Amino acid sequence: MAEAADLTQFREETRAWLEANCPPEMRQPVKSEEDVCWGGRNFKFQSDAQKRWLEVMAQRGWTTPDWPREVGGGGLTPAESKILKEEMRRIGARNPLNSFGISMLGPALLKYGTEEQKQRFLPPIVRGEIRWCQGYSEPGAGSDLAGLQTRAEDMGDHYLVNGQKVWTSYADQADWIFCLVRTSTESKHGGISFLLFDMESEGVSTKPILLISGYSPFCETFMDNVKVPKDQVVGEVNKGWDVAKYLLGHEREMISGMGLGGGTALLGKTLGEIDDPALRAEVAAFDVDALAFAAMSERFIDQLKAGEAHPAMPSMMKYAGTELNKKRHELIMAGGGSDTLEWESERTRKGKPAREWLRTKANSIEGGTSEVQLGIIAKHILRLPGA
């Protein structure tokens, strides 16, 4: 009873704080990629309200509500974090900060980082001062990630990194990279280390990759004799594969969120009246699946944060979420008819439906293909070697 009363009081206080501090502009839906706050050294805020919203949430630690207070987080319990999320959703509050530092690197640093690394990197992530990118895939190492060839040579007081990464999301806008490198060739999985380094380091360059959607969120990233101090290795040298796998679980949790459709209304309401009965039935069936996925996702997050999630669940949720998101955009295209094929005008916001539909084709590739996820699920469920 006492715990329930505490949570009731927390909800009332959270509701009052949000009403007082969330600017009206930040309660409006995001209209474009430019409305999303990624933070970082070079980020340009779209408005004073966007900047103010990030600052007040970061000051309270609520950009990372369940991280420890010692590193700048909110220190909330899982139940309190859920209440904060519900109250933000109630007023339509935007996420104050999108960050690979929060969704991917932070959890890995909390588990594998030294105390010095936690104090150096986590508070700036909470405040949105560093934008991170992920250096995992290479031209010859995507689905077989452990086959990576980017080398880090031990030079005594530092490593010298040479190699190439590909599909590095937003590398051209990132401040730092978390990167997998080969520090030994004696073992495929045992010769990998996990490094952090500044993208402004001498020898780092990026080249955007233009997609069929017209956007360039991905890059090629090149490292040519890049010096990296040894205190920027996370975890043990040659045991970075353990860090990489742990981070991938959180990346797949993040990607599975695509299945939630950004918390938007049911697709049937969004599309409005549909004349075609077959399409109407298909949309209704989709909405049932979407509601079921949302309920399962909430349970999965609770179990993950409590350390009780089955090891196959991140891959299950990633697979289900990305397939659901692809289906959502296929139905939006079908419901909109030929109008959704228009590509340039302001009427369609420069072809937003078609460009978003094309973008979803990458959902079942990024973060590990659907085939890789099904293999991981099978290994864990059947308890096969390599699980």
Side-chain angles (χ1 to χ4, degrees), residues 20 28 43 119 150 162 165 193 233 247 295 319 321 363 379 382:
Q28 301 300 316
F43 183 74
Q119 291 301 326
T150 294
N162 282 281
K165 298 293 177 179
S193 297
V233 177
L247 185 147
Y319 178 82
N363 292 167
K379 284 181 180 177
L382 300 174

Side-chain angles (χ1 to χ4, degrees), residues 52-72:
R52 173 67 179 158
W53 182 224
L54 171 59
E55 288 175 347
V56 296
M57 287 291 278
Q59 284 170 5
R60 210 171 174 87
W62 282 2
T63 50
T64 54
D66 55 356
W67 285 14
R69 291 184 188 277
E70 293 74 23
V71 296

Side-chain angles (χ1 to χ4, degrees), residues 236-255:
E236 295 183 45
V237 174
N238 293 331
K239 292 188 177 178
W241 187 244
D242 293 336
V243 186
K245 285 194 299 182
Y246 183 77
L247 185 147
L248 277 172
H250 286 272
E251 181 185 10
R252 286 163 186 162
E253 172 203 340
M254 175 190 70
I255 295 174

Side-chain angles (χ1 to χ4, degrees), residues 164-314:
Q164 177 187 352
K165 298 293 177 179
V166 72
W167 307 120
T168 324
S169 300
Y170 305 110
D172 55 341
Q173 300 173 51
D175 304 312
W176 279 66
I177 186 171
F178 45 93
C179 187
L180 293 182
V181 296
R182 184 157 296 287
T183 43
S184 170
T185 56
E186 293 185 4
S187 165
K188 183 177 180 180
H189 291 86
I192 293 172
S193 297
F194 191 104
L195 295 185
L196 311 176
F197 54 89
D198 195 315
M199 292 293 282
E200 290 186 352
S201 302
E202 186 176 351
V204 179
S205 60
T206 62
K207 180 181 177 184
I209 301 170
L210 185 63
L211 304 184
I212 191 173
S213 64
Y215 299 135
S216 301
F218 301 119
C219 293
E220 295 176 280
T221 304
F222 304 91
M223 283 77 70
D224 183 14
N225 288 329
V226 179
K227 289 183 178 179
V228 180
K230 285 192 166 178
D231 63 358
Q232 289 170 201
V233 177
V234 178
E236 295 183 45
V237 174
N238 293 331
K239 292 188 177 178
W241 187 244
D242 293 336
V243 186
K245 285 194 299 182
Y246 183 77
L247 185 147
L248 277 172
H250 286 272
E251 181 185 10
R252 286 163 186 162
E253 172 203 340
M254 175 190 70
I255 295 174
S256 74
M258 293 176 181
L260 301 173
T264 53
L266 293 175
L267 186 58
K269 286 188 176 179
T270 304
L271 292 178
E273 189 172 338
I274 301 172
D275 294 333
D276 182 349
L279 180 59
R280 192 162 61 238
E282 202 171 351
V283 170
F286 171 85
D287 277 335
V288 171
D289 288 344
L291 287 169
F293 179 81
M296 187 173 176
S297 179
E298 187 170 338
R299 180 169 177 265
F300 162 59
I301 299 297
D302 287 346
Q303 291 179 326
L304 187 70
K305 292 188 183 306
E308 298 172 352
H310 189 283
M313 284 192 74

